[in-house]
Amino acid sequence: MNAGTILYIPVAQAEGGATVTVKGQLYGPTLKLDGTDITTGTAVTIATDSTRYVPLSVEGTGGLYLTGIAIDYAAGSPAATSHTVTVGLNGQYRTIQAALDANDSSETDRLVLKITPGDYREKITVTKPGVTFANADVTAKRAVTIRASYYSSNTFDADGKFVPQDEFDLGTNKCATVTIGAGAKVSPPTASPSRTITTWWITRRRASRRRPWR
């Protein structure tokens, strides 16, 4: 993280507050959490009276090599509820992205997408915390597969500006099948490996299978 960067850390409402530990190495700048100067590797107490985003800012000159952020709630894990919507041909939503866009999710009221097994040809962006992708097949015999046909040609002009070669050429940072945005969190299925939700990264030259959740 370069100086001038602000990272917003989602914290849930919970009794007793929480501690946040930022892990990594500072190279020159001042590090502030919720407006207070901190150092890496030291637990800092924050208020958790409400669900909110806590700003972590890198100020001055230099940078932070960030390796992790740990949040420990005084009362253990914050109390959470969940609400489930269905995705699929006969579900409430035909696509995963439509279900994500139409429903709120947080660490205290989590969104569960119960996805009918099948092939979902879509590019997905998750921008909310507390989301769970769940295979609706309780028999563990059918899979949910997510596919997208975007890629990066890594083509740049003389000024270093990315030059797309066609409508599918989105660049390295935008061509993923499933993108998890800053502050968002997606929980993997907790079922057996045969119920794993599989994503495919498909380029115009090759298709490579990726299993991010097991």
Side-chain angles (χ1 to χ4, degrees):
M1 295 174 60
N2 295 325
T5 302
I6 301 177
L7 177 67
Y8 291 92
I9 305 169
V11 296
Q13 182 177 0
E15 294 184 3
T19 60
V20 177
T21 305
V22 178
K23 303 175 182 180
Q25 181 65 50
L26 278 172
Y27 295 95
T30 299
L31 196 60
K32 289 190 175 184
L33 180 70
D34 215 11
T36 301
D37 289 357
I38 67 169
T39 58
T40 56
T42 301
V44 179
T45 301
I46 61 169
T48 55
D49 298 329
S50 61
T51 298
R52 64 191 181 105
Y53 289 93
V54 177
L56 173 66
S57 59
V58 183
E59 302 181 3
T61 59
L64 164 68
Y65 180 74
L66 181 65
T67 59
I69 298 174
I71 304 176
D72 294 311
Y73 293 91
S77 298
T81 59
S82 65
H83 54 289
T84 301
V85 299
T86 57
V87 179
L89 186 62
N90 297 313
Q92 293 167 271
Y93 301 92
R94 296 292 293 272
T95 68
I96 296 169
Q97 190 64 57
L100 288 169
D101 293 342
N103 294 274
D104 292 330
S105 184
S106 69
E107 292 293 355
T108 54
D109 188 15
R110 299 170 181 171
L111 172 63
V112 178
L113 303 186
K114 192 174 182 180
I115 308 171
T116 300
D119 213 15
Y120 293 81
R121 296 182 178 271
E122 55 178 308
K123 188 178 187 299
I124 297 168
T125 301
V126 183
T127 59
K128 303 166 184 176
V131 176
T132 296
F133 287 1
N135 188 336
D137 181 17
V138 296
T139 68
K141 294 181 179 179
R142 296 176 296 164
V144 172
T145 302
I146 304 169
R147 306 172 186 260
S149 302
Y150 300 95
Y151 73 105
S152 175
S153 65
N154 293 322
T155 303
F156 300 88
D157 62 19
D159 296 324
K161 183 179 179 180
F162 177 66
V163 181
Q165 301 301 294
D166 54 41
E167 62 183 304
F168 301 102
D169 187 5
L170 301 184
T172 302
N173 64 333
K174 295 182 179 180
C175 65
T177 302
V178 179
T179 301
I180 312 299
K185 180 180 179 182
V186 178
S187 299
T190 57
S192 62
S194 60
R195 288 183 65 191
T196 296
I197 293 180
T198 301
T199 60
W200 289 71
W201 178 306
I202 302 176
T203 73
R204 300 185 72 184
R205 294 183 296 275
R206 67 182 186 279
S208 59
R209 192 173 187 177
R210 298 187 172 189
R211 293 185 179 273
W213 301 316
R214 297 191 67 83

